[in-house]
Amino acid sequence: MKLKGEKQESSDCNEGSKGKMTLLLALVALISGFGSSFQYGYNVSVINSPAPYMQDFYNRTYFNRTGVPMDSGFQTLLWSLTVSMYPLGGLFGSLIVWPMVNNCGRKGTLLINNLFSITAAILMGTSEIAKTFEVIIISRVIMGIYAGLASNVVPMFLGEISPKNLRGAMGIVPQLFIAIGILVAQIFGLSSILGNVKGWPVLLGLTGIPSLIQLLILPFFPESPRYLLLQKGNEEQARQALQRLRGWDDVDDEIEEMRQEDRSEKEEGHFTVLSLCTFRGLRWQLISIIVMMMGQQLSGVNAVFYYADRIFQSAGVDANNVQYVTVSIGAINVVMTLLAVFIVESLGRRILLLAGFGLCCVSCAVLTLALNLQTTVSWMSYLSIVCVIVYIIGHAIGASPVPFLLITEMFLQSSRPAAFMVGGSVHWICNFTVGLVFLYMEAGLGAYSFLIFCAVCLTTIVYIFIIVPETKNKTFMEINRIMAKRNKVEIQGDKEELKDFHAVPGGQTEKKEFASIEL
């Protein structure tokens, strides 16, 4: 994208917004990721390994209260609630993103959010001593609310504080910590560590420690400069925050870019979810994040993680070794997400999305074949494990991390909180749906259930290829101009510049320089 006729300052602005990774910026990413995103991942998989011991605790508690054993149907219902209350809580968390980040700020929301996690950790850790399984189910809702907020606010926060040339890498950091959280829960959940009859309450209670660390350290780091300037109108604080994050004093170019964004948004004001859904100027951005979020979750990633043990057992892996295979899959997820952090700025967002969903699509198709033939062809069980590994690689490099990054990049300050609320809600509704429906799909369709995930991936690939633009190394305003062309609307800032004509003596017309956009 080229901008012609711009004044020299704007080219300086582009150069100035190319920042370096400072120690403070890295620490903010580390503390935000570890204190918030990590726990989303940790709580996705923490109940997988100790499930038999937790179900036994449910049964014993019920028997001690009533004197009769728990009915198997009731036990299945309670366990389904234990699993599904987490994504349901995530939906509730996503629904309060918009008011929280607008009123408390990005950093303030993360700090308040820690109270949910610490409360849930204490309740879960003491549930066995208190002889009550109900608090585990309630705590899963509370942790879901926590994860719903964290999964939206951390990418928003890191995207807003990053210079444009690091925004992709910083935007994938939350997903990296989610992957690390899943892996740590899998390791701690090994039967030789905490995944046993005595250790499971500790395993559940550990989730409060990262929150406590974040609660103590994050207050010393700056708030999002964009929030301070564009929503609070406090230029001095925004300037100080930017200077600390960038490691130099001259931040005039970035401040000016924020003002330019502010001017282009003046006409629309701040968006609610309803106004976002009805505003023509953001139509394709909104459709894009809904499609990508649906694709991310309905491609079956949580079906693979929730039921990984069953997939490996059905593939013929010895029951005693399944937990170690699952840990190795978690490790591959971490390594590939780490790779995505380093390649997203060079390859771009579109390539990672297309490659990621493409790998998921192919592996789901082959997995269907492998699971159907494993009883007749001996080596098919190994092929099914390879398919799961390829699927995890595909999701880790593109399908998991990039959609949240694109919500940050496709929307400006006034519409970003509402966009995250919509995207996050779609994410958690689909997460909840897959968790609830997959067992029934598996019972009814068997291995063919993965063909549905294959079709979802293929549909998402076609949409991304046709509609979603490349956003790497572009300012928020440049991305907004690309999408404005697709939406067939003019940007307010550009309209004001086009009107900036004034008459000069002699009846001639003189115009100031303005930016004409050439794609």
Side-chain angles (χ1 to χ4, degrees):
M1 179 175 184
K2 291 180 285 185
L3 294 172
K4 297 192 300 187
E6 283 191 322
K7 293 181 182 177
Q8 185 60 39
E9 294 94 79
S10 62
S11 62
D12 293 340
C13 174
N14 281 345
E15 288 304 312
S17 57
K18 279 198 169 189
K20 61 181 181 180
M21 177 59 78
T22 60
L23 178 62
L24 184 69
L25 190 61
L27 285 173
V28 173
L30 182 68
I31 295 300
S32 303
F34 177 65
S36 295
S37 304
F38 173 88
Q39 292 180 82
Y40 171 12
Y42 186 87
N43 285 282
V44 162
S45 64
V46 73
I47 61 170
N48 288 359
S49 298
Y53 309 108
M54 291 174 68
Q55 287 169 345
D56 182 52
F57 166 66
Y58 286 16
N59 203 2
R60 273 188 291 118
T61 306
Y62 184 83
F63 182 77
N64 291 336
R65 288 180 193 170
T66 63
V68 291
M70 188 184 286
D71 176 67
S72 62
F74 184 54
Q75 185 167 359
T76 304
L77 173 65
L78 283 178
W79 188 249
S80 297
L81 285 172
T82 307
V83 173
S84 61
M85 282 299 109
Y86 182 63
L88 193 64
L91 172 61
F92 296 150
S94 293
L95 293 175
I96 58 173
V97 165
W98 182 79
M100 288 282 285
V101 295
N102 282 334
N103 293 307
C104 308
R106 281 63 168 151
K107 186 179 86 169
T109 301
L110 289 178
L111 289 171
I112 293 167
N113 198 24
N114 288 317
L115 300 178
F116 288 115
S117 172
I118 293 167
T119 303
I122 293 168
L123 289 173
M124 288 190 292
T126 58
S127 58
E128 191 181 32
I129 299 167
K131 292 183 169 53
T132 169
F133 56 76
E134 291 88 351
V135 297
I136 295 177
I137 297 170
I138 294 167
S139 297
R140 290 285 290 174
V141 179
I142 297 170
M143 277 313 303
I145 294 169
Y146 175 88
L149 276 165
S151 63
N152 290 292
V153 180
V154 177
M156 190 191 306
F157 182 43
L158 295 184
E160 288 182 4
I161 66 173
S162 306
K164 68 176 183 180
N165 60 307
L166 295 175
R167 202 169 55 225
M170 290 285 279
I172 292 179
V173 165
Q175 187 60 41
L176 174 62
F177 275 96
I178 291 171
I180 292 170
I182 291 170
L183 176 62
V184 169
Q186 288 168 341
I187 293 170
F188 285 179
L190 292 172
S191 55
S192 56
I193 303 177
L194 291 173
N196 49 55
V197 71
K198 289 184 179 177
W200 67 263
V202 180
L203 183 66
L204 298 183
L206 284 176
T207 192
I209 294 174
S211 275
L212 198 58
I213 293 170
Q214 188 184 67
L215 199 58
L216 294 172
I217 298 176
L218 194 62
F220 297 101
F221 293 131
E223 175 59 277
S224 161
R226 285 179 178 275
Y227 171 75
L228 293 171
L229 180 64
L230 302 184
Q231 287 178 249
K232 288 296 178 186
N234 193 327
E235 184 178 326
E236 189 52 40
Q237 282 189 10
R239 187 178 293 275
Q240 287 172 5
L242 261 181
Q243 287 167 343
R244 288 182 66 195
L245 288 164
R246 299 292 175 262
W248 56 63
D249 291 336
D250 184 12
V251 292
D252 290 346
D253 296 335
E254 278 194 84
I255 293 287
E256 181 52 41
E257 188 228 317
M258 290 182 206
R259 286 205 196 99
Q260 184 189 355
E261 182 179 326
D262 193 36
R263 284 194 293 271
S264 78
E265 294 182 301
K266 277 281 191 279
E267 191 179 68
E268 289 91 12
H270 285 286
F271 285 84
T272 62
V273 171
L274 183 63
S275 60
L276 176 68
C277 293
T278 54
F279 183 62
R280 183 186 166 192
L282 294 171
R283 183 178 298 163
W284 281 108
Q285 289 97 311
L286 188 66
I287 295 169
S288 296
I289 63 162
I290 290 171
V291 169
M292 285 188 291
M293 282 300 175
M294 288 180 73
Q296 182 197 67
Q297 291 301 311
L298 297 181
S299 59
V301 62
N302 282 337
V304 173
F305 271 117
Y306 282 145
Y307 307 109
D309 292 6
R310 298 183 58 180
I311 289 170
F312 289 123
Q313 282 178 340
S314 65
V317 176
D318 184 66
N320 295 323
N321 296 328
V322 162
Q323 56 182 347
Y324 300 106
V325 179
T326 308
V327 168
S328 64
I329 295 295
I332 292 168
N333 189 27
V334 171
V335 170
M336 296 313 297
T337 309
L338 185 61
L339 176 66
V341 170
F342 291 104
I343 63 175
V344 66
E345 294 298 355
S346 55
L347 294 182
R349 285 63 156 156
R350 260 174 66 91
I351 295 290
L352 290 188
L353 278 171
L354 293 169
F357 278 110
L359 286 173
C360 291
C361 182
V362 171
S363 57
C364 281
V366 179
L367 183 62
T368 306
L369 181 72
L371 290 174
N372 274 309
L373 294 178
Q374 67 184 16
T375 51
T376 51
V377 184
S378 59
W379 52 268
M380 280 293 172
S381 60
Y382 301 107
L383 181 61
S384 63
I385 292 174
V386 170
C387 288
V388 170
I389 292 169
V390 171
Y391 180 94
I392 295 297
I393 290 171
H395 233 276
I397 63 167
S400 280
V402 179
F404 275 112
L405 166 63
L406 284 178
I407 300 179
T408 304
E409 295 190 323
M410 281 183 160
F411 293 87
L412 298 181
Q413 195 75 13
S414 62
S415 54
R416 194 174 293 127
F420 265 101
M421 193 165 156
V422 172
S425 298
V426 172
H427 170 95
W428 287 102
I429 288 168
C430 294
N431 185 319
F432 177 74
T433 303
V434 171
L436 211 59
V437 170
F438 181 69
L439 279 178
Y440 298 103
M441 277 173 56
E442 192 186 38
L445 299 171
Y448 293 105
S449 56
F450 283 96
L451 283 181
I452 295 173
F453 300 139
C454 177
V456 169
C457 291
L458 188 61
T459 306
T460 311
I461 289 167
V462 172
Y463 180 88
I464 291 166
F465 185 78
I466 296 170
I467 301 293
V468 178
E470 182 52 73
T471 59
K472 77 167 182 175
N473 216 27
K474 291 182 170 66
T475 65
F476 292 129
M477 281 303 298
E478 287 169 347
I479 297 163
N480 198 39
R481 288 190 183 108
I482 294 170
M483 295 308 293
K485 189 175 181 182
R486 188 171 292 285
N487 289 318
K488 296 182 173 60
V489 296
E490 282 186 274
I491 296 172
Q492 178 64 14
D494 291 347
K495 284 195 283 186
E496 285 176 1
E497 286 176 328
L498 287 164
K499 287 176 186 172
D500 200 0
F501 288 81
H502 61 274
V504 292
Q508 294 179 321
T509 304
E510 179 183 90
K511 68 185 178 85
K512 293 182 180 179
E513 285 188 297
F514 64 89
S516 66
I517 299 155
E518 184 181 300
L519 294 173

